[in-house]
Amino acid sequence: MIECFEKQNIKRSVAAGLILLIASFFVAVGVAEISFPESLLTFTDQEWLMDIWPKAYRYNIHVGVGACALCGLLIIPAYKLQKDFSIRALETLCRIGIGGMFIFASIFKIQDPHQFATLVAQYQFFSALHLDFVNNFFALVYPQFELWFGLAMILSPFVKESAFAIFWMFVSFIIALAWALWNDLGITCGCFELEGAQDKAEAWTSLIRDIILIWPTFWLATRKNKSLIGIWKK
Amino acid sequence: MKKFFQKSLQISLAYLKTLNWYVLLGIAVFCIILAIVNNIRVSDEKSVDWIGTQDVMEKPADIL
């Protein structure tokens, strides 16, 4: 039996588990607030809140970053309560969360390569490097990387390799979004849905989301290769 | 400062040696093959030329 499930540690493990569940809820709210303004978990988009405070929707990024910060703070007591359980649980949650996010993000891009290629072209990054001809091929291959490395993160024991690849994908997203903002391109991120040139504010929120999510990915890239079940074995 | 960079480089190289490059490159090659298959699989209006780019749209005037 692993240390965290031994008789003397079980109460502490349950308490740590509950705290981590609340932390997971906060990070889900944070990602929803930052990336999905009309989702079920987006509090700033609730009608009852809009009735009381019509400008609430403007503060989605603040609420999102606040929820992520709260999640970070909740990890500390969970870790202090039961270190062994918390690390195993965090690795499981991070793998499912980040891997799942990449799988979800890849699906619409794989279904419509033309739209995604158009979206990539809006960044004007390849044209600045005189590599225009790469745009379409990049738009074809990149979503496949997202899907298969996301799946590998969840289903395979190769967490180090998949997290390493996803880490560099996050780096590329950060560079692309920073580039778009620096050049005032006024484009949306295009991470989860296909939009045209619409909204500069969304590029900011996506940049913040990626800067937050790159840290747990970096942590995963330093973990030992184990399957999700293997994490919970001695 | 020089020592710091040397140490960082050593740690990075040691880390890179621990990675299973067969898995990484295997998935990468698999992805490229699937990308090619996917471009053939999707309908004509959704597929793209292998080499080339797309038009850049005009920036709307009412941008935030």
Side-chain angles (χ1 to χ4, degrees):
Chain A
M1 190 183 280
I2 55 174
E3 187 196 321
C4 59
F5 293 135
E6 283 168 9
K7 209 173 181 183
Q8 68 272 25
N9 291 329
I10 198 86
K11 277 184 184 169
R12 283 174 162 263
S13 294
V14 170
L18 284 173
I19 294 172
L20 287 174
L21 265 179
I22 298 166
S24 309
F25 174 73
F26 277 119
V27 86
V29 168
V31 172
E33 288 282 0
I34 293 170
S35 296
F36 307 103
E38 287 163 15
S39 76
L40 197 72
L41 283 169
T42 311
F43 280 85
T44 50
D45 196 44
Q46 301 288 336
E47 274 183 24
W48 61 268
L49 185 66
M50 300 282 257
D51 290 339
I52 307 164
W53 189 22
K55 288 179 181 173
Y57 73 94
R58 286 188 185 177
Y59 294 92
N60 65 328
I61 182 73
H62 307 78
V63 175
V65 173
C68 290
L70 210 59
C71 162
L73 287 175
L74 280 171
I75 291 169
I76 300 167
Y79 182 83
K80 287 199 169 174
L81 266 172
Q82 229 301 317
K83 186 181 163 186
D84 182 52
F85 176 84
S86 298
I87 288 177
R88 289 173 201 264
L90 272 176
E91 190 175 338
T92 309
L93 290 169
C94 287
R95 281 175 71 167
I96 294 171
I98 295 169
M101 195 183 85
F102 268 73
I103 295 165
F104 178 66
S106 70
I107 289 167
F108 80 93
K109 297 170 190 165
I110 292 171
Q111 284 170 342
D112 197 342
H114 185 267
Q115 275 266 43
F116 184 57
T118 307
L119 213 136
V120 174
Q122 307 314 304
Y123 280 89
Q124 298 167 45
F125 193 75
F126 290 122
S127 54
L129 297 170
H130 303 290
L131 291 168
D132 275 342
F133 61 93
V134 177
N135 188 85
N136 286 356
F137 195 69
F138 175 87
L140 279 172
V141 174
Y142 216 70
Q144 299 286 347
F145 281 161
E146 288 184 337
L147 174 67
W148 292 100
F149 280 114
L151 279 171
M153 175 83 102
I154 298 174
L155 300 176
S156 82
F158 301 107
V159 62
K160 205 181 223 183
E161 285 74 18
S162 47
F164 177 77
I166 288 175
F167 174 83
W168 286 106
M169 280 192 244
F170 269 127
V171 171
S172 71
F173 298 152
I174 290 168
I175 292 170
L177 288 164
W179 163 268
L181 287 164
W182 180 264
N183 290 296
D184 197 22
L185 297 178
I187 55 173
T188 52
C189 153
C191 314
F192 297 104
E193 51 186 345
L194 295 162
E195 320 96 336
Q198 289 169 340
D199 189 348
K200 201 167 84 179
E202 212 244 335
W204 269 113
T205 55
S206 304
L207 181 65
I208 292 166
R209 182 202 60 217
D210 290 346
I211 289 171
I212 292 171
L213 290 177
I214 200 170
W215 294 106
T217 312
F218 179 76
W219 178 66
L220 285 177
T222 62
R223 304 296 297 163
K224 276 185 185 167
N225 278 345
K226 277 178 189 170
S227 68
L228 271 185
I229 297 164
I231 293 172
W232 296 97
K233 283 182 181 166
K234 206 167 185 179
Chain B
M1 198 67 174
K2 198 182 166 188
K3 269 190 174 177
F4 171 76
F5 279 114
Q6 277 178 340
K7 184 108 185 177
S8 305
L9 189 70
Q10 274 177 355
I11 293 168
S12 305
L13 286 174
Y15 173 75
L16 289 176
K17 279 180 188 168
T18 65
L19 291 173
N20 188 338
W21 286 94
Y22 291 112
V23 170
L24 265 173
L25 295 174
I27 296 176
V29 171
F30 180 63
C31 287
I32 292 169
I33 295 166
L34 278 182
I36 294 166
V37 172
N38 188 49
N39 198 33
I40 297 165
R41 181 192 67 89
V42 292
S43 55
D44 280 351
E45 67 266 21
K46 286 182 179 176
S47 68
V48 288
D49 294 332
W50 300 109
I51 295 166
T53 187
Q54 305 295 321
D55 295 332
V56 176
M57 286 186 280
E58 209 170 302
K59 195 171 153 183
D62 59 339
I63 202 110
L64 282 169

